[in-house]
mmCIF file of all heavy atoms in Angstrom:
data_model
loop_
_atom_site.group_PDB
_atom_site.id
_atom_site.type_symbol
_atom_site.label_atom_id
_atom_site.label_comp_id
_atom_site.label_asym_id
_atom_site.label_seq_id
_atom_site.Cartn_x
_atom_site.Cartn_y
_atom_site.Cartn_z
ATOM 1 N N HIS B 320 -1.491 -32.344 19.988
ATOM 2 C CA HIS B 320 -0.537 -33.404 20.266
ATOM 3 C C HIS B 320 -0.381 -33.573 21.785
ATOM 4 O O HIS B 320 -0.242 -34.684 22.276
ATOM 5 C CB HIS B 320 0.820 -33.030 19.650
ATOM 6 C CG HIS B 320 1.847 -34.075 19.851
ATOM 7 N ND1 HIS B 320 1.855 -35.243 19.103
ATOM 8 C CD2 HIS B 320 2.894 -34.172 20.702
ATOM 9 C CE1 HIS B 320 2.868 -35.990 19.517
ATOM 10 N NE2 HIS B 320 3.513 -35.355 20.468
ATOM 11 N N VAL B 321 -0.421 -32.474 22.452
ATOM 12 C CA VAL B 321 -0.263 -32.531 23.910
ATOM 13 C C VAL B 321 -1.558 -32.906 24.580
ATOM 14 O O VAL B 321 -1.609 -33.754 25.461
ATOM 15 C CB VAL B 321 0.247 -31.178 24.409
ATOM 16 C CG1 VAL B 321 0.344 -31.186 25.923
ATOM 17 C CG2 VAL B 321 1.597 -30.865 23.803
ATOM 18 N N PHE B 322 -2.641 -32.276 24.135
ATOM 19 C CA PHE B 322 -3.926 -32.432 24.854
ATOM 20 C C PHE B 322 -4.759 -33.581 24.367
ATOM 21 O O PHE B 322 -5.757 -33.904 24.973
ATOM 22 C CB PHE B 322 -4.768 -31.151 24.684
ATOM 23 C CG PHE B 322 -4.196 -29.989 25.436
ATOM 24 C CD1 PHE B 322 -3.794 -28.841 24.778
ATOM 25 C CD2 PHE B 322 -4.075 -30.059 26.828
ATOM 26 C CE1 PHE B 322 -3.270 -27.789 25.465
ATOM 27 C CE2 PHE B 322 -3.562 -28.981 27.497
ATOM 28 C CZ PHE B 322 -3.147 -27.839 26.814
ATOM 29 N N GLY B 323 -4.383 -34.148 23.218
ATOM 30 C CA GLY B 323 -5.333 -35.016 22.534
ATOM 31 C C GLY B 323 -6.307 -34.103 21.817
ATOM 32 O O GLY B 323 -6.153 -32.878 21.823
ATOM 33 N N TRP B 324 -7.266 -34.628 21.152
ATOM 34 C CA TRP B 324 -8.234 -33.761 20.444
ATOM 35 C C TRP B 324 -9.175 -33.159 21.473
ATOM 36 O O TRP B 324 -9.986 -33.836 22.054
ATOM 37 C CB TRP B 324 -9.011 -34.550 19.388
ATOM 38 C CG TRP B 324 -8.116 -34.910 18.231
ATOM 39 C CD1 TRP B 324 -7.519 -36.098 18.034
ATOM 40 C CD2 TRP B 324 -7.720 -34.049 17.191
ATOM 41 N NE1 TRP B 324 -6.733 -36.068 16.916
ATOM 42 C CE2 TRP B 324 -6.852 -34.802 16.365
ATOM 43 C CE3 TRP B 324 -7.982 -32.723 16.842
ATOM 44 C CZ2 TRP B 324 -6.262 -34.278 15.246
ATOM 45 C CZ3 TRP B 324 -7.408 -32.203 15.711
ATOM 46 C CH2 TRP B 324 -6.543 -32.974 14.912
ATOM 47 N N PRO B 325 -9.063 -31.880 21.693
ATOM 48 C CA PRO B 325 -9.761 -31.302 22.827
ATOM 49 C C PRO B 325 -11.124 -30.728 22.458
ATOM 50 O O PRO B 325 -11.502 -30.679 21.291
ATOM 51 C CB PRO B 325 -8.842 -30.173 23.220
ATOM 52 C CG PRO B 325 -8.262 -29.730 21.915
ATOM 53 C CD PRO B 325 -8.286 -30.883 20.979
ATOM 54 N N GLU B 326 -11.805 -30.289 23.508
ATOM 55 C CA GLU B 326 -13.021 -29.488 23.319
ATOM 56 C C GLU B 326 -12.583 -28.137 22.725
ATOM 57 O O GLU B 326 -11.449 -27.718 22.901
ATOM 58 C CB GLU B 326 -13.685 -29.228 24.689
ATOM 59 C CG GLU B 326 -14.165 -30.467 25.396
ATOM 60 C CD GLU B 326 -15.370 -31.074 24.722
ATOM 61 O OE1 GLU B 326 -16.310 -30.315 24.392
ATOM 62 O OE2 GLU B 326 -15.356 -32.306 24.479
ATOM 63 N N THR B 327 -13.513 -27.473 22.089
ATOM 64 C CA THR B 327 -13.184 -26.192 21.469
ATOM 65 C C THR B 327 -12.615 -25.192 22.481
ATOM 66 O O THR B 327 -11.671 -24.467 22.235
ATOM 67 C CB THR B 327 -14.442 -25.585 20.841
ATOM 68 O OG1 THR B 327 -15.154 -26.624 20.214
ATOM 69 C CG2 THR B 327 -14.072 -24.505 19.831
ATOM 70 N N ARG B 328 -13.210 -25.194 23.664
ATOM 71 C CA ARG B 328 -12.827 -24.222 24.675
ATOM 72 C C ARG B 328 -11.357 -24.431 25.076
ATOM 73 O O ARG B 328 -10.598 -23.490 25.252
ATOM 74 C CB ARG B 328 -13.745 -24.388 25.898
ATOM 75 C CG ARG B 328 -13.750 -23.209 26.843
ATOM 76 C CD ARG B 328 -14.522 -23.581 28.109
ATOM 77 N NE ARG B 328 -13.883 -24.695 28.798
ATOM 78 C CZ ARG B 328 -12.837 -24.588 29.625
ATOM 79 N NH1 ARG B 328 -12.302 -23.393 29.845
ATOM 80 N NH2 ARG B 328 -12.352 -25.639 30.216
ATOM 81 N N ASP B 329 -10.950 -25.705 25.173
ATOM 82 C CA ASP B 329 -9.579 -26.024 25.588
ATOM 83 C C ASP B 329 -8.565 -25.556 24.548
ATOM 84 O O ASP B 329 -7.511 -25.032 24.888
ATOM 85 C CB ASP B 329 -9.415 -27.536 25.762
ATOM 86 C CG ASP B 329 -10.216 -27.999 26.958
ATOM 87 O OD1 ASP B 329 -10.510 -27.133 27.806
ATOM 88 O OD2 ASP B 329 -10.537 -29.179 27.019
ATOM 89 N N LEU B 330 -8.924 -25.725 23.291
ATOM 90 C CA LEU B 330 -8.016 -25.328 22.212
ATOM 91 C C LEU B 330 -7.785 -23.819 22.251
ATOM 92 O O LEU B 330 -6.640 -23.330 22.231
ATOM 93 C CB LEU B 330 -8.617 -25.721 20.867
ATOM 94 C CG LEU B 330 -7.751 -25.367 19.645
ATOM 95 C CD1 LEU B 330 -6.449 -26.152 19.655
ATOM 96 C CD2 LEU B 330 -8.514 -25.649 18.369
ATOM 97 N N ALA B 331 -8.880 -23.091 22.338
ATOM 98 C CA ALA B 331 -8.771 -21.645 22.396
ATOM 99 C C ALA B 331 -7.956 -21.232 23.623
ATOM 100 O O ALA B 331 -7.105 -20.327 23.546
ATOM 101 C CB ALA B 331 -10.152 -21.018 22.481
ATOM 102 N N HIS B 332 -8.196 -21.909 24.679
ATOM 103 C CA HIS B 332 -7.485 -21.647 25.925
ATOM 104 C C HIS B 332 -5.972 -21.832 25.706
ATOM 105 O O HIS B 332 -5.152 -20.967 26.041
ATOM 106 C CB HIS B 332 -8.013 -22.632 26.979
ATOM 107 C CG HIS B 332 -7.295 -22.560 28.285
ATOM 108 N ND1 HIS B 332 -7.579 -21.550 29.201
ATOM 109 C CD2 HIS B 332 -6.356 -23.346 28.827
ATOM 110 C CE1 HIS B 332 -6.796 -21.740 30.254
ATOM 111 N NE2 HIS B 332 -6.049 -22.826 30.058
ATOM 112 N N ALA B 333 -5.632 -22.950 25.078
ATOM 113 C CA ALA B 333 -4.206 -23.262 24.876
ATOM 114 C C ALA B 333 -3.547 -22.232 23.958
ATOM 115 O O ALA B 333 -2.476 -21.701 24.262
ATOM 116 C CB ALA B 333 -4.073 -24.651 24.277
#
Side-chain angles (χ1 to χ4, degrees):
Chain B
H320 182 76
V321 177
F322 290 118
W324 289 99
E326 297 288 314
T327 319
R328 198 189 61 82
D329 291 340
L330 180 65
H332 176 79

